[in-house]
Amino acid sequence: MNADHSYLESVKKQFLYYKMLGEKAIDQLEPTQLFVSFNDDTNSIATIIKHISGNMLSRWTDFLTSDGEKEWRNRDTEFENDLQSKEEVLQVWNKGWNCLENALEGLKPEQLSDIIYIRNEGHTVIEAINRQLAHYPYHVGQIVFYAKQLKNSEWNSLSIPKNKSGNYNAEKFAKEKEIKNFTDDELKRLK
């Protein structure tokens, strides 16, 4: 497997990992908690999801052939919450992720050095992917943090639980060395 193919497989796994983290956080909440905003300067989880999805649809639709900031996108309205139910929130969430996944599935390793544009700024395909691989986990982290704040009962940890790092490391170091993506075990654990 060449490096470009390995890169594409790695980013697909990483995006899936962050998608699952967001979903596992959302699953721990009551539906009404998705719409809670602590003050005028914070966004609810539903609003964050609306923004992520809007970004994904804009960036990944016609990824190789049109600017990633689509004329039809109205970013400002992504921060106006008009979603009414958890089902609507999840539909918006899945629409964005499906768009991203379809675009990544269509990429070929030899296209990674092609130039695409976001707001008329040229990026290699790798740079554009990396840009989004930083942006979406940033917002998923907000969702997870917010969900922990809103949770009314015990939080089911999505990473190494508090005071369990020693056990986690002992399990990892008890295994033979191997080359694999860190998400391989994490995706199994989250399922």
Side-chain angles (χ1 to χ4, degrees):
M1 185 180 306
N2 71 28
D4 289 344
H5 182 66
S6 295
Y7 171 79
L8 282 173
E9 291 307 307
S10 177
V11 296
K12 288 174 190 176
K13 288 178 182 181
Q14 289 181 65
F15 279 122
L16 177 60
Y17 171 69
Y18 288 107
K19 178 180 186 269
M20 287 182 71
L21 279 180
E23 290 170 352
K24 293 296 182 182
I26 292 164
D27 287 347
Q28 294 189 54
L29 297 176
E30 298 298 320
T32 57
Q33 291 175 312
L34 296 173
F35 303 95
V36 172
S37 179
F38 288 127
N39 60 49
D40 290 340
D41 292 325
T42 59
N43 295 307
S44 68
I45 289 173
T47 301
I48 294 168
I49 288 171
K50 190 176 171 190
H51 166 61
I52 292 172
S53 182
N55 180 279
M56 288 175 172
L57 293 171
S58 185
R59 296 293 183 266
W60 299 100
T61 299
D62 302 324
F63 176 65
L64 294 172
T65 58
S66 68
D67 195 283
E69 187 65 18
K70 304 297 186 278
E71 290 182 19
W72 45 259
R73 182 183 186 200
N74 186 343
R75 184 180 180 280
D76 292 336
T77 62
E78 293 167 12
F79 297 97
E80 297 170 5
N81 185 33
D82 57 356
L83 303 174
Q84 303 296 315
S85 67
K86 181 177 183 175
E87 292 74 27
E88 276 186 276
V89 170
L90 292 176
Q91 284 175 347
V92 167
W93 172 265
N94 287 322
K95 187 175 181 181
W97 284 102
N98 289 340
C99 184
L100 175 144
E101 290 166 5
N102 289 336
L104 288 178
E105 283 304 316
L107 280 178
K108 295 174 180 52
E110 58 271 16
Q111 294 172 310
L112 291 175
S113 60
D114 289 359
I115 301 297
I116 64 106
Y117 291 87
I118 301 172
R119 296 184 183 105
N120 277 343
E121 296 175 352
H123 297 61
T124 64
V125 168
I126 288 176
E127 290 170 330
I129 291 170
N130 289 345
R131 177 176 173 164
Q132 301 317 114
L133 194 52
H135 185 201
Y136 305 147
Y138 167 82
H139 288 303
V140 169
Q142 290 175 322
I143 291 169
V144 171
F145 182 78
Y146 218 162
K148 284 174 141 180
Q149 299 290 316
L150 293 166
K151 184 72 173 147
N152 289 329
S153 57
E154 186 175 323
W155 176 257
N156 295 318
S157 180
L158 303 175
S159 62
I160 303 168
K162 275 187 178 180
N163 301 315
K164 301 291 183 189
S165 295
N167 295 347
Y168 181 84
N169 286 342
E171 286 179 34
K172 289 289 187 178
F173 285 113
K175 297 177 182 175
E176 292 293 319
K177 287 184 179 182
E178 63 180 319
I179 297 173
K180 66 179 183 177
N181 192 293
F182 83 97
T183 62
D184 293 342
D185 290 338
E186 294 302 310
L187 289 169
K188 286 179 197 169
R189 186 180 61 75
L190 288 171
K191 286 187 179 181

